[in-house]
Amino acid sequence: MSETTTEARADDVMEDIAALTALLDREIAAIGSGDLSGIAARLDEKSRLGARLEAQTAWIEAALGQGDEAASKLRDSLAELSALIARDAAMLERMRETTASVARDLERLRARHGLGGLYGANGHRSGGDTLSRAPMDKSV
């Protein structure tokens, strides 16, 4: 491979790393501020950039083995990207868990207040009372 081709490839890889880093920074900031509308919109771009970097894995590994200043810069960029990926994944997982919890709570509330819950179809309390009545200790 010629020197110019190697430099162009290095520039392309560094641009993809920088673009993915910036995208993750924006996504983490949006999640932190509660602006969740753009997360799905960013998914295609994240996938595209990730696929481009994955396609360059062999070249990146070879470049990291050079031990020169460019390899050091690449290593630092990849370390920053890796930390952002881990942080973004953790935040998205917490969002998923929270959303699942809210969905379970809503389902429980719907079941309780629906026709099978506290009141039957006729508007009277159900025979199987969903509210527990703790027995009162009257021995005092």
Side-chain angles (χ1 to χ4, degrees):
M1 207 179 282
S2 73
E3 185 72 24
T4 307
T5 306
T6 302
E7 287 175 12
R9 191 176 227 181
D11 289 344
D12 288 346
V13 168
M14 291 302 286
E15 285 176 14
D16 288 344
I17 291 171
L20 187 53
T21 299
L23 184 107
L24 289 171
D25 273 333
R26 287 191 310 271
E27 182 168 282
I28 288 169
I31 292 170
S33 68
D35 178 21
L36 307 179
S37 61
I39 292 175
R42 289 182 186 94
L43 183 60
D44 289 339
E45 182 68 8
K46 280 193 320 187
S47 297
R48 186 185 68 76
L49 289 169
R52 285 176 53 113
L53 287 172
E54 190 173 330
Q56 299 294 332
T57 300
W59 184 88
I60 291 170
E61 289 173 353
L64 290 172
Q66 296 298 315
D68 57 2
E69 185 178 332
S72 177
K73 187 175 179 181
L74 178 60
R75 189 173 289 106
D76 291 343
S77 295
L78 289 173
E80 179 184 2
L81 179 60
S82 178
L84 284 173
I85 289 170
R87 185 172 175 208
D88 186 57
M91 292 178 88
L92 290 172
E93 178 61 21
R94 282 194 306 270
M95 280 179 39
R96 187 198 63 76
E97 290 169 357
T98 301
T99 302
S101 175
V102 168
R104 282 190 304 272
D105 287 345
L106 287 174
E107 184 60 35
R108 182 183 56 79
L109 290 170
R110 274 192 206 109
R112 180 175 176 194
H113 294 290
L115 294 178
L118 291 176
Y119 298 94
N122 60 6
H124 298 291
R125 278 187 92 79
S126 297
D129 196 358
T130 58
L131 294 176
S132 65
R133 298 186 197 271
M136 185 179 288
D137 185 5
K138 298 180 184 178
S139 64
V140 176

